[in-house]
Each structure stands twice: as C-alpha cells, then as structure tokens.
Amino acid sequence: MENINHLLVVFTAYVIAAGSPGPSTLRIMGVAMNHGRQAGLALAAGVISGSLFWGLSAATGVSALLARYAEALIILKIFGGIYLLYLAVRAARSAMTSDPVTSTGLTRAEPPPSTVALYRHGLIMHLANPKAVLAWIALVTLGLDAEASWHDVATILAGCAILSVTIFGGYALVFSTAPMIRLYRRARRGIEGVLAAIFGFAGLRLLLSRV
C-alpha cells in the first residue's frame, strides 16, 4: 500500500507538470484546431517521444549529468528560447495574414504540414526545453531512491508514458472536435495572436532566466 501511495504521488506530479498549459500543450491545441485530429496527434506524438526521451535519460542518470554541467543546460536553454521565438514569429505572421477565400466565398483552410514535419516539430520543441530535463530529474528523484530496482524504474516510466499519451493525445483529440475547429475558424487571427504573445514571452523568459 505504501508503494502504491508513493506511485500515486509521482504520477500526480507528472500529470500536473505535463498537463499544465505550456508551449507544447498550446501548440498541440493550435495545430489540432487549425489542421485537424491527425495533425494534432502527429505533433503530440513528437512531444510524447521527447518527454519519454528525457524520462529515460533521467532514469539512467544522463539528465542529472547534464544538470551538473551548466554549459550544457545554457546551450539547451538558448536553443529552446530561440525556437520558441521562432514559433512566436510564425504565429504572429499567421495572425497578421487574412484568411484565403475560395471562389464560393468560403474560407479555405491552410494545408497542413506533413505528418513527419509535425512529429519532428513536436520532438524538437520538447527536447529543446531545459525545464523538461529538470522536471524529469525532480520526478525521478521523487520516485526513486538508492535502493530502487529496475522494476521500480520501469513502473514509473511505463506509468508516465501512459499518462503522457493520455494527456497530450487528449489535447489533440479534444481540440480537433468540430466545435473547436469552428471556434478556430472564427477567431483564428486572435488565437494566433495570443499564441504569438505566449510563445514570445516564454522564449524571452527562457533566454533571460537562470536554469
């Protein structure tokens, strides 16, 4: 029972960390509303892969080694901040662009990027986030002690993997529903403007903060 309660604490912490609104979840929302379910799930798959990569790295001590060397995290922080600013610029350009209209007078949806491009986009976005590294280190420290076995490691990683698929995939599914897509079509420029502001703030904050 004590072990189950301990796992519940770890999994609750992961749900809060992964499910809280952030660049990854907001980007999944925007892509799902703009391009539909398949595109949202492709982006979510990249984010999930990045999250599990940092989870495996934390469990094997690689992330702790990165955190010990400030130079590595500084490089990661700079890359992540620049990438977020790149997303902000793209969202801002989208917000300033009028919707194309077909000959029938209807708004024509922008063609979605390829599945591979979206997956790569989600993967890079999460791998370039030094906060994800530190969050996983904290999570593994919380869930494992010096006497932890590989069974304990596998249990935590498997549970977090299931939660990761549920959370990020859930965002893609919920925000690709017809009501959400209609909302995006009506308020696309405003939504993209808000996303540009959030990505820009997050990028600058990451570049100017101490990891």
Side-chain angles (χ1 to χ4, degrees):
M1 182 61 70
E2 182 180 350
N3 190 40
I4 293 176
N5 291 335
H6 186 63
L7 286 174
L8 286 176
V9 171
V10 173
F11 292 150
T12 300
Y14 181 81
V15 169
I16 294 172
S20 300
S24 296
T25 53
L26 290 173
R27 191 61 182 165
I28 291 172
M29 292 178 197
V31 168
M33 288 189 292
N34 188 21
H35 298 302
R37 181 167 301 169
Q38 183 176 345
L41 288 174
L43 182 69
V47 172
I48 292 166
S49 299
S51 179
L52 295 182
F53 172 83
W54 285 129
L56 287 169
S57 297
T60 56
V62 175
S63 289
L65 189 63
L66 279 175
R68 195 170 300 171
Y69 292 95
E71 295 83 359
L73 278 180
I74 289 173
I75 292 172
L76 196 61
K77 182 182 73 168
I78 292 173
F79 181 75
I82 291 173
Y83 195 70
L84 285 174
L85 291 179
Y86 164 73
L87 294 180
V89 170
R90 287 191 58 182
R93 289 178 62 184
S94 177
M96 292 185 290
T97 303
S98 300
D99 292 316
V101 178
T102 66
S103 58
T104 61
L106 298 176
T107 298
R108 182 173 67 248
E110 177 188 349
S114 69
T115 299
V116 173
L118 286 166
Y119 175 85
R120 183 173 62 246
H121 175 58
L123 180 64
I124 292 173
M125 185 165 54
H126 215 69
L127 290 181
N129 184 5
K131 302 301 181 183
V133 183
L134 300 178
W136 267 107
I137 292 175
L139 195 69
V140 169
T141 303
L142 176 66
L144 303 173
D145 54 30
E147 300 178 355
S149 65
W150 278 105
H151 178 268
D152 298 324
V153 175
T155 300
I156 289 177
L157 290 179
C160 289
I162 293 171
L163 291 172
S164 182
V165 171
T166 303
I167 292 169
F168 295 118
Y171 272 112
L173 293 175
V174 170
F175 283 87
S176 62
T177 57
M180 289 296 179
I181 292 175
R182 285 196 296 268
L183 171 65
Y184 183 85
R185 293 286 182 257
R186 290 196 300 266
R188 180 192 65 80
R189 298 181 72 177
I191 291 172
E192 291 291 342
V194 171
L195 289 177
I198 292 174
F199 288 143
F201 174 77
L204 289 175
R205 184 178 179 184
L206 189 57
L207 288 173
L208 299 176
S209 67
R210 295 181 179 180
V211 177

